[in-house]
Amino acid sequence: MERKKSKIETGESPGKKVWRRFESNPLAFVGLIFICLAIFISLFAYVFIPDNTPLSNRMNLALSNQSPGFTVQMLKLPKKSIEVENIFERLFFGRKDRYDFIPVYDTKMVGDKIVYREFTGDGIELAKYDTLNIARIATSIKDRTAVTFDGNLISAIGSDNIMHQYSLSELSLRLKDESLIERTFYFGTDRYGRDLLSRILAGTRVTFGVGLVAVLISLIVGVFMGSMAGFFRGKIDSLVLWLINVTWSIPTLLLVIAITLVMGKGFTQVFIAVGLTMWVDVARIVRGQLFAVRELEYVSAGKALGYKNSRIILFHMLPNIVGPVLVVAAANFSTAILLEAGLSFLGIGAQPPTPSWGSMIKENYGYIIIPGSAYLAILPGIAIMIMTMAFTFVANGLRDAFDSK
């Protein structure tokens, strides 16, 4: 009986072999799914998060420290001035609020006034009611300026310069259907009354961005230094090896802190500092791999044909060691995430109100011992843990996939 041929025997490409081994690893595949989800959230978070203002920084002190699943009625009133933003700004940087949101217990209409009892939190209800001119309901995006109130009619001039008239009954229905909304805070709120779910999702961009740029910097520097050492050897190798040993002898976090203090605080400085400390791992791997392949026949053939050293390194040697480089890059990604969180926790990373997971833990770590409020520090910590584990699983999966033994 003729033996059935395997996929490898039928001429499967090396790339497909690596992918088949990788996808057969369930933890690595799940980690890759989480990473793809993080990329999507990083790019398009402001499209679907509840608080899509820039940096998810809508504050309402009356809603501070509300537990997950908290629901409240909000009186939604158009602002008098509206800033126009383009689609690009709204997609990647959020949209400034076009409305004022007032949390209320209940509302009613008395004549031309909206009478409402404002929510104060902690189970304390205001004894008195506040009033608001009902003309603000007519002040929508279309109808910008309320003009007169005459009997049961309110007249407003719209942005189209046309007079619009509304009866009190119409505005009463408008208040109920459009201006009175219900908001649910699925992850609760922080001490400033900001939606924690929105800030955690928006913080994915900061964490992922720092990791991506830091890894790119480490790859550029590490591949260059490792290539020089592994190909030319001699004094160049000794110099690069000395730099690797000196950098390795300094604790990574202390080195990052020193670089950050020299360059100053901020988001940009963080990923530069992290990237400049992680290049040693890449350089060590590239140097060792080039030592193994520089004596192979195709390198000797390239030299015999008169190819430049740069062409031999870039187009012939480096493509053959891409596997180990990808593995160390994925591992460095998780390291960069932890370093960014640590720097933000220490106050020298991304600065408030930028939604960084590390800074969220710093702002709320005091609540960890308070019953019912520990989630403020635990939820960002879980986000860091999941992202770090995802890249660790992917790195392990890549290592196994490129190992053909």
Side-chain angles (χ1 to χ4, degrees), residues 149-385:
F149 173 71
D150 181 18
N152 288 324
L153 290 177
I154 285 184
S155 301
I157 297 178
S159 57
D160 52 5
N161 293 322
I162 298 175
M163 180 73 73
H164 300 269
Q165 289 186 326
Y166 305 91
S167 66
L168 287 178
S169 59
E170 286 180 307
L171 292 181
S172 178
L173 291 173
R174 198 166 184 174
L175 169 65
K176 183 177 180 181
D177 296 338
E178 298 180 17
S179 299
L180 195 61
I181 63 174
E182 190 175 84
R183 278 288 311 274
T184 299
F185 298 88
Y186 296 100
F187 280 10
T189 60
D190 63 11
R191 58 175 148 174
Y192 300 108
R194 297 176 295 191
D195 181 27
L196 193 61
L197 172 62
S198 298
R199 287 186 64 78
I200 288 177
L201 292 178
T204 307
R205 175 180 296 183
V206 175
T207 301
F208 199 86
V210 168
L212 178 62
V213 178
V215 167
L216 288 177
I217 292 174
S218 69
L219 284 175
I220 293 171
V221 177
V223 168
F224 175 77
M225 300 293 282
S227 299
M228 295 299 100
F231 186 82
F232 294 105
R233 296 188 178 181
K235 292 182 179 180
I236 295 178
D237 181 37
S238 300
L239 177 61
V240 172
L241 199 57
W242 178 81
L243 288 173
I244 290 175
N245 290 332
V246 169
T247 307
W248 239 340
S249 66
I250 305 173
T252 303
L253 187 58
L254 292 181
L255 185 58
V256 171
I257 291 174
I259 295 174
T260 305
L261 292 178
V262 171
M263 299 179 63
K265 299 179 182 180
F267 178 64
T268 305
Q269 290 86 334
V270 169
F271 58 67
I272 293 176
V274 174
L276 292 178
T277 59
M278 295 194 306
W279 67 270
V280 291
D281 292 325
V282 180
R284 181 178 61 86
I285 293 295
V286 172
R287 173 181 175 271
Q289 292 294 318
L290 288 189
F291 272 4
V293 302
R294 73 186 301 271
E295 304 300 335
L296 295 179
E297 290 80 1
Y298 68 87
V299 177
S300 301
K303 292 179 180 179
L305 291 171
Y307 292 161
K308 293 181 179 180
N309 292 333
S310 58
R311 176 175 177 177
I312 295 173
I313 294 172
L314 288 174
F315 298 105
H316 301 281
M317 300 180 74
L318 290 180
N320 285 284
I321 64 168
V322 68
V325 174
L326 286 178
V327 172
V328 73
N332 280 347
F333 222 117
S334 60
T335 303
I337 291 171
L338 292 175
L339 284 174
E340 185 278 327
L343 290 171
S344 296
F345 182 84
L346 294 173
I348 56 179
Q351 298 300 298
T354 303
S356 165
W357 294 341
S359 62
M360 288 183 210
I361 296 176
K362 178 193 175 183
E363 291 173 358
N364 302 301
Y365 74 92
Y367 293 101
I368 200 74
I369 60 174
I370 300 177
S373 298
Y375 67 92
L376 291 170
I378 290 175
L379 290 177
I382 292 175
I384 295 171
M385 181 188 70

Side-chain angles (χ1 to χ4, degrees), residues 105-164:
Y105 289 111
D106 52 61
T107 61
K108 58 183 177 180
M109 292 185 59
V110 179
D112 65 332
K113 303 292 183 183
I114 304 171
V115 183
Y116 64 92
R117 186 169 47 168
E118 188 170 353
F119 179 87
T120 57
D122 299 326
I124 303 174
E125 298 185 13
L126 292 177
K128 66 183 183 68
Y129 282 83
D130 291 325
T131 60
L132 191 69
N133 196 314
I134 198 171
R136 284 204 65 182
I137 299 177
T139 314
S140 64
I141 295 174
K142 179 180 178 182
D143 311 318
R144 294 186 178 217
T145 307
V147 181
T148 58
F149 173 71
D150 181 18
N152 288 324
L153 290 177
I154 285 184
S155 301
I157 297 178
S159 57
D160 52 5
N161 293 322
I162 298 175
M163 180 73 73
H164 300 269

Side-chain angles (χ1 to χ4, degrees), residues 13-25 289 318-330 394-405:
S13 67
K16 289 184 177 180
K17 295 176 188 177
V18 171
W19 171 249
R20 183 166 49 80
R21 296 192 199 104
F22 180 84
E23 69 176 350
S24 64
N25 186 327
Q289 292 294 318
L318 290 180
N320 285 284
I321 64 168
V322 68
V325 174
L326 286 178
V327 172
V328 73
V394 168
N396 293 337
L398 288 172
R399 181 198 60 201
D400 296 339
F402 281 106
D403 186 3
S404 59
K405 294 181 181 179

